[in-house]
Amino acid sequence: MALTGLFLCFFLVIHLLGNLQLLLAPDKAQLQYNLYSDFLSNNILIKIISYVLYASILAHTIDSIYLTIKAKKASGSPYVRDRRNRASKWYARQMMLLGTIVFAFLVIHLKNFWFTYKFGILPADANGNKDLYGLVVNSFQDLWYVIFYSIAILALGFHLLHGFFSAFRSLGLYHPTYDKLVKSIGVLFALAITAGYVIIPFYIYLNL
């Protein structure tokens, strides 16, 4: 769980850096983003990494389901009043729900973009690359999808708030000396990822 989670955190950073190209001037953004997408689609090393990514997503999901079921079985009598809210944040107690929202979004997101790009018919840009940029812009012209996307990213942000710090503890890297530092880094990471991803659909919706 911890290793797959940290690998997915690394992927989030790389994916965000690539998507920030969408904030460039439209003409430049189109050609550059489509060139970037074509490179990712045809590079053998990237393909291998993508298989690791898919495996990590499945492993992380299956592991989280297993741990949730295990925790419920070990929680004891259902008649005992739950007082966990006094010791933990609400998002720490709702990791499964937040993860489910993120996973559902991921399936829809892959279907709308990755599947269409790989197997659909898209027009070409001036350089002859598939126009994924146009597909993204058209998708974010719909306010409902912008809102849906943003809600999913917020769920991801809260998931990261607990998950980042929890991953270090799970790996046995906890120590009182740098406990607050890791928590602070986790909060900054969650905020940066959330803000970085959310700004893109709103920028496109409001400006393009």
Side-chain angles (χ1 to χ4, degrees), residues 46-110:
I46 300 299
K47 286 184 178 180
I48 294 173
I49 294 175
S50 68
Y51 295 142
V52 176
L53 172 65
Y54 303 146
S56 296
I57 293 172
L58 288 176
H60 194 75
T61 302
I62 293 171
D63 199 17
S64 64
I65 294 173
Y66 167 75
L67 291 176
T68 299
I69 295 173
K70 185 178 179 181
K72 286 185 176 181
K73 288 183 177 179
S75 62
S77 171
Y79 301 103
V80 177
R81 187 176 179 181
D82 189 351
R83 296 178 181 271
R84 288 174 298 173
N85 61 335
R86 296 184 179 183
S88 62
K89 301 292 186 180
W90 69 268
Y91 51 82
R93 302 191 302 275
Q94 300 297 332
M95 288 294 283
M96 185 63 186
L97 174 61
L98 294 170
T100 300
I101 294 173
V102 173
F103 184 79
F105 161 75
L106 185 61
V107 172
I108 296 172
H109 194 63
L110 286 173

Side-chain angles (χ1 to χ4, degrees), residues 165 168-169 171-185:
F165 175 71
F168 280 86
R169 298 199 69 164
L171 292 172
L173 300 176
Y174 171 79
H175 192 281
T177 302
Y178 50 80
D179 174 62
K180 290 184 179 180
L181 176 61
V182 174
K183 283 185 177 179
S184 298
I185 293 174

Side-chain angles (χ1 to χ4, degrees), residues 4 14 27 35 40 46 53 61 71 96 101 109 144 167 186-188 192 195 197-198 201 206:
T4 55
I14 300 302
D27 291 343
L35 179 63
L40 294 182
I46 300 299
L53 172 65
T61 302
M96 185 63 186
I101 294 173
H109 194 63
W144 75 266
V187 171
L188 291 174
Y197 277 102
V198 167
L206 294 173

